[in-house]
Amino acid sequence: MQPIRVAIVGLGKIARDQHLPAIAGNPDFALAATVSPRGAGLDDVPHFPSLDALIAAGVAVDAVALCTPPQVRYAIAVQALAAGLHVFLEKPPGATLSEVVALEAEAAASGATLFASWHSRYAAGVEPARAFLADRRIDRVTITWREDVRVWHPGQAWIWEAGGLGVFDPGINALSIATRILPKPFFLREAILSLPANRAAPIAARMTFSDAAGTPIAMDLDWRQTGPQTWDILVETDAGDCHLAKGGSVLTLPTGTETQDDHEYPGLYARFATLVRERRSDVDIAPLRLVADAFLRGERETVEAFED
Amino acid sequence: MQPIRVAIVGLGKIARDQHLPAIAGNPDFALAATVSPRGAGLDDVPHFPSLDALIAAGVAVDAVALCTPPQVRYAIAVQALAAGLHVFLEKPPGATLSEVVALEAEAAASGATLFASWHSRYAAGVEPARAFLADRRIDRVTITWREDVRVWHPGQAWIWEAGGLGVFDPGINALSIATRILPKPFFLREAILSLPANRAAPIAARMTFSDAAGTPIAMDLDWRQTGPQTWDILVETDAGDCHLAKGGSVLTLPTGTETQDDHEYPGLYARFATLVRERRSDVDIAPLRLVADAFLRGERETVEAFED
């Protein structure tokens, strides 16, 4: 089979750290072009300032991976679908829920594949955790996601603006795992969002969720953690604890601990290849819906100003 | 056929102003009981402080209409569905999107009917407007929803708390009409929410939406309007203007103006009877999704404190 010719749109940190190596390591894909309104491209790969310019140049592409900030993703995705291109959306799939729902309709009409990716779901421990939890009684869930924003998002102003998610940018990764591994859907009960005095998006959040059975699910999100970082989900069950650590790559079950190297983005691209070959879409908005609920229902408190 | 025996849960303003007359006027229903944690019930109708107490008393009911504030609606709805009762949800159907999605799953499992009602969709002009717009090119939409909160929500503290919607409580009515009459789904582009310095929910909001065709849709929501009230939707099309006024009861098309008396709640109960007889549910979260998007993405500004 011919490789899928993919263009990366938005050549920032996530594209360079993750997408380029994953594409280079997967023979199902060939990097056909890059698009970025600012800055240079890569050696030996055609580079354009916009998707318009790429299409006008007649470069042969089958798919685009959208690594731009979420605020501009919808317009580019519609343009790509209209040109018959398959679309890989970085997370979150949009700045709003309604635009993702509208985009699904556009994809269905175009016949192209739309993939709303959640990279953390491809961490090594996630599917084994899901299998372990499928038949258990869940007694309690504790999600702790604490990291240093200065390390992970240095100088990324968009993440603090209205429409950026603030600390929910990493927090949605935890929610993408929790919605995958827990056997029942869950929903928000209470949220307190902590907003720096000089920013429009939260730097921390404390939440409680529940499922229909009343299972307590607590979530502690914080972007102010220096030193060791914490990306943990602890699920207490009638058959013992299921503990995902390091973002899902380390899984401890009553039978022992398994650790595997990161393979999230290779997993995403393998999934995207399958979807494109089978002309299917995969769009799950549950993680973004939970975040929207926290913004809709949460209380807000003002905390110390944050300077990058 | 036997009438559907319905209990009203939450005996506040909307229950007394709208639900009781609509039930009394529809032979498909019989009012079987009322439930309210505070205050007295009606003469000659069994009254209970909770749904638990009603069920424990063995009163024969087939359905409940939940007229409580949205923050407590989910728990009562789950309890009702578990007891095999059909559930009519006042708008909005919940305090969060995810709980409504979870509730749909509970209803499907129970076999009972779940009806997420949007009363404004039953205003007289809505279905004719939808029919007129179905095949038109839409050039511009202007939604103006300005009313006096002191008249419509006197002393209702819950509406200003986190989880209450503030001015989106009436605004969601406009969105329930717009999502019904416009032929394409639309989504938020920008929102500015105005929050009184002493309140957790907005008193006004200015928004722009768009559909995939780029149609501009502007919305102006304000709770500070005294004097004449404004609940208007103007849709400019290639075949002339479609103008819904007075919340949807007055429709002006290029062919003339039609005005009808309010029949929203009678329309809702007729719909609920059909759904119960046919054992179907009707749950459309699109209006609440648009509101959640405004909270998720909107900028916030602080305005003058509001005293009731």
Side-chain angles (χ1 to χ4, degrees):
Chain A
M1 264 185 298
Q2 292 296 309
I4 299 160
R5 296 162 298 186
V6 62
I8 289 187
V9 181
L11 204 54
K13 183 170 167 55
I14 195 71
R16 291 175 186 273
D17 290 355
Q18 297 288 352
H19 289 256
L20 290 174
I23 291 167
N26 186 333
D28 283 340
F29 290 95
L31 182 65
T34 57
V35 173
S36 179
R38 286 177 297 278
L42 310 171
D43 291 343
D44 305 324
V45 179
H47 182 72
F48 301 91
S50 68
L51 184 58
D52 268 336
L54 182 153
I55 292 170
V59 176
V61 291
D62 306 300
V64 292
L66 302 192
C67 307
T68 67
Q71 291 95 326
V72 299
R73 217 165 273 163
Y74 174 82
I76 302 171
V78 164
Q79 189 186 6
L81 290 170
L85 303 176
H86 308 293
V87 175
F88 177 130
L89 297 170
E90 247 300 341
K91 48 95 3 186
T96 66
L97 293 164
S98 303
E99 74 191 54
V100 181
V101 172
L103 205 55
E104 267 192 281
E106 294 289 312
S110 77
T113 289
L114 179 65
F115 179 34
S117 74
W118 299 106
H119 64 80
S120 293
R121 287 186 175 173
Y122 292 78
V126 171
E127 289 306 310
R130 174 182 164 91
F132 173 78
L133 295 171
D135 302 318
R136 308 296 174 201
R137 187 191 72 220
I138 312 294
D139 293 327
R140 177 178 303 275
V141 181
T142 309
I143 304 171
T144 311
W145 224 254
R146 301 175 67 95
E147 62 176 46
D148 186 344
V149 65
R150 290 186 176 87
V151 170
W152 301 102
H153 296 282
Q156 291 181 9
W158 62 268
I159 216 163
W160 293 105
E161 291 164 6
L165 297 180
V167 74
F168 285 90
D169 183 84
I172 206 168
N173 295 338
L175 290 170
S176 75
I177 295 175
T179 50
R180 179 75 188 155
I181 65 174
L182 294 176
K184 290 203 179 84
F186 58 92
F187 49 87
L188 187 78
R189 288 204 179 275
E190 291 187 333
I192 299 173
L193 311 187
S194 304
L195 282 89
N198 60 338
R199 302 286 182 169
I203 196 167
R206 305 185 297 284
M207 282 160 286
T208 56
F209 300 90
S210 175
D211 60 20
T215 309
I217 302 172
M219 184 164 183
D220 170 16
L221 270 180
D222 207 314
W223 245 353
R224 298 166 297 193
Q225 175 145 314
T226 54
Q229 309 280 286
T230 310
W231 299 290
D232 279 12
I233 299 178
L234 174 64
V235 186
E236 300 169 50
T237 82
D238 57 343
D241 291 354
C242 168
H243 186 204
L244 277 169
K246 295 190 185 298
S249 61
V250 180
L251 173 63
T252 302
L253 294 175
T255 47
T257 296
E258 295 271 353
T259 302
Q260 281 190 29
D261 288 344
D262 171 39
H263 63 198
E264 294 182 10
Y265 279 78
L268 285 180
Y269 273 91
R271 172 73 175 158
F272 187 44
T274 300
L275 292 169
V276 168
R277 302 292 188 208
E278 299 179 358
R279 283 285 190 279
R280 288 189 296 129
S281 288
D282 175 355
V283 180
D284 178 13
I285 65 170
L288 186 58
R289 194 164 56 214
L290 288 165
V291 173
D293 284 339
F295 280 76
L296 177 66
R297 181 163 183 171
E299 294 179 41
R300 281 148 198 269
E301 61 177 21
T302 302
V303 298
E304 192 183 357
F306 175 82
E307 305 299 344
D308 225 347
Chain B
M1 265 185 294
Q2 292 296 309
I4 299 160
R5 295 162 299 187
V6 62
I8 289 187
V9 181
L11 205 53
K13 181 170 169 54
I14 194 72
R16 291 176 185 271
D17 289 355
Q18 297 288 353
H19 289 256
L20 290 175
I23 290 167
N26 186 332
D28 282 339
F29 290 94
L31 182 65
T34 57
V35 173
S36 181
R38 286 176 297 277
L42 311 171
D43 290 344
D44 305 324
V45 179
H47 183 70
F48 302 92
S50 68
L51 184 58
D52 267 336
L54 181 153
I55 292 170
V59 176
V61 291
D62 305 302
V64 291
L66 302 192
C67 306
T68 66
Q71 291 94 328
V72 299
R73 215 165 274 163
Y74 173 82
I76 301 171
V78 165
Q79 190 186 5
L81 291 169
L85 303 175
H86 308 293
V87 175
F88 177 129
L89 296 170
E90 247 301 340
K91 47 97 0 188
T96 66
L97 293 163
S98 303
E99 74 190 56
V100 181
V101 173
L103 205 56
E104 267 192 280
E106 294 288 313
S110 77
T113 288
L114 180 65
F115 179 35
S117 74
W118 300 106
H119 64 79
S120 293
R121 287 186 175 173
Y122 292 78
V126 171
E127 288 307 310
R130 174 182 165 91
F132 174 78
L133 296 171
D135 301 319
R136 308 296 173 201
R137 187 192 73 220
I138 312 293
D139 294 327
R140 179 179 302 275
V141 182
T142 309
I143 304 171
T144 310
W145 224 252
R146 301 175 68 97
E147 62 176 44
D148 186 343
V149 64
R150 289 187 176 86
V151 170
W152 301 102
H153 295 281
Q156 291 181 8
W158 63 266
I159 216 162
W160 292 105
E161 292 165 4
L165 297 179
V167 75
F168 285 90
D169 182 85
I172 206 169
N173 296 338
L175 290 170
S176 74
I177 295 175
T179 50
R180 179 76 189 156
I181 65 174
L182 294 176
K184 290 205 178 82
F186 59 92
F187 48 88
L188 188 79
R189 288 203 178 276
E190 291 187 333
I192 300 174
L193 311 186
S194 304
L195 284 88
N198 61 338
R199 303 285 181 169
I203 196 166
R206 304 185 298 283
M207 281 161 287
T208 55
F209 300 89
S210 175
D211 60 20
T215 309
I217 302 172
M219 183 165 184
D220 170 15
L221 268 181
D222 207 313
W223 244 352
R224 297 166 299 191
Q225 174 144 315
T226 53
Q229 309 280 286
T230 310
W231 299 289
D232 279 12
I233 300 178
L234 173 64
V235 186
E236 299 170 50
T237 83
D238 57 343
D241 292 353
C242 167
H243 186 204
L244 277 168
K246 296 192 184 299
S249 62
V250 179
L251 173 64
T252 302
L253 295 175
T255 47
T257 296
E258 294 271 354
T259 302
Q260 280 190 28
D261 288 343
D262 170 39
H263 64 197
E264 294 181 11
Y265 278 78
L268 285 179
Y269 273 90
R271 172 74 174 157
F272 188 43
T274 300
L275 292 169
V276 168
R277 303 291 188 209
E278 298 179 358
R279 283 285 190 281
R280 289 189 295 128
S281 288
D282 176 355
V283 181
D284 177 12
I285 64 171
L288 186 58
R289 194 164 54 215
L290 289 165
V291 173
D293 284 338
F295 280 77
L296 176 67
R297 180 161 182 171
E299 295 180 41
R300 280 146 198 271
E301 61 178 19
T302 302
V303 297
E304 193 184 355
F306 175 82
E307 305 299 343
D308 227 345

